[in-house]
Amino acid sequence: KTSDFGTEEETKAMTRGNVLEPFVRGLFAKQTGFSVKVCSGVFRHPLKPFMLGNLDGLVPSEQAVLEIKTCNSVRKGEFGAEYSDEIPTDYLLQVQHYLLVTGLEKGFVSVLFGDEESFKVLQTCVKTLGVPKSLKSLRDDLSLKTFFVKKNENLQKQLLSLEEDFWVNHAEKRIAPQWKTREDI
């Protein structure tokens, strides 16, 4: 991303994620017993300065990154068993990128599932009353699941190659890449 392309407009899902992130981080810590360090600022790869990561948290005792998501029922079927690495591809690639940037070997993805109405109620609660202590006092359809991702060197090599190509051939030259549809791939 370069500064002259403007700023990204925040979607409802992005707003929901930003408001609920502290709540989900607290639930993850309570559920797992792990201490979580809140990250401020952006991480930068030591050798590839174009590679950045804005982490939701670090789990120091596990030397792991923490990625926090809120998902409605539409995406719930894309996840496997809790503590597996069966997560949507876009989330998997994001965590592998963060592992590459930080040099860490593993990551947790903590996901709060619910329907849109429950998320609205929870957002209002968080904005007006602060972060609730648990889900029990809220709505029945909210649930938290955590997934575990290990470093995948082959995938990271592919990511590094693609990201470097994008940076050198598009971002630095200010040339937008050609859009591809699923049929083109």
Side-chain angles (χ1 to χ4, degrees):
K1 294 181 179 182
T2 57
S3 61
D4 60 344
F5 285 114
T7 58
E8 186 178 19
E9 194 172 313
E10 191 168 275
T11 65
K12 283 178 15 177
M14 291 165 71
T15 300
R16 176 180 71 219
N18 289 333
V19 170
L20 297 180
E21 184 177 304
F23 175 62
V24 177
R25 186 183 298 110
L27 288 176
F28 168 83
K30 187 174 181 178
Q31 180 187 62
T32 62
F34 296 140
S35 173
V36 178
K37 179 182 176 194
V38 177
C39 298
S40 59
V42 175
F43 287 75
R44 184 182 299 271
H45 189 282
L47 302 175
K48 305 289 183 182
F50 60 88
M51 292 184 70
L52 306 174
N54 187 357
L55 305 178
D56 294 335
L58 287 169
V59 183
S61 66
E62 299 299 304
Q63 296 186 348
V65 300
L66 172 62
E67 180 59 24
I68 295 169
K69 300 292 184 189
T70 58
C71 288
N72 60 29
S73 58
V74 173
R75 292 205 78 178
K76 195 170 186 175
E78 296 178 50
F79 291 84
E82 189 166 22
Y83 292 106
S84 74
D85 64 352
E86 298 170 29
I87 60 176
T89 302
D90 51 330
Y91 295 172
L92 179 65
L93 293 174
Q94 182 181 11
V95 174
Q96 289 294 334
H97 170 83
Y98 290 163
L99 296 177
L100 187 56
V101 168
T102 63
L104 295 173
E105 301 279 325
K106 56 190 168 185
F108 294 98
V109 180
S110 192
V111 184
L112 180 64
F113 293 100
D115 66 23
E116 293 304 322
E117 183 58 33
S118 294
F119 284 137
K120 284 180 193 174
V121 169
L122 184 55
Q123 280 179 253
T124 302
C125 181
V126 168
K127 285 179 182 177
T128 58
L129 303 173
V131 177
K133 299 276 189 237
S134 73
L135 289 174
K136 289 181 184 177
S137 61
L138 298 169
R139 301 184 54 118
D140 290 336
D141 66 319
L142 289 169
S143 64
L144 183 76
K145 290 189 178 180
T146 298
F147 302 87
F148 184 72
V149 176
K150 290 182 186 176
K151 174 181 177 178
N152 180 321
E153 288 187 24
N154 289 333
L155 184 54
Q156 287 185 358
K157 284 178 187 175
Q158 291 175 39
L159 276 174
L160 177 58
S161 175
L162 290 168
E163 290 179 36
E164 192 161 33
D165 175 72
F166 174 79
W167 186 257
V168 170
N169 294 310
H170 298 285
E172 286 184 338
K173 294 177 181 178
R174 304 293 196 265
I175 299 171
Q178 291 278 329
W179 286 103
K180 292 184 179 182
T181 64
R182 288 180 191 257
E183 292 78 30
D184 296 332
I185 297 177

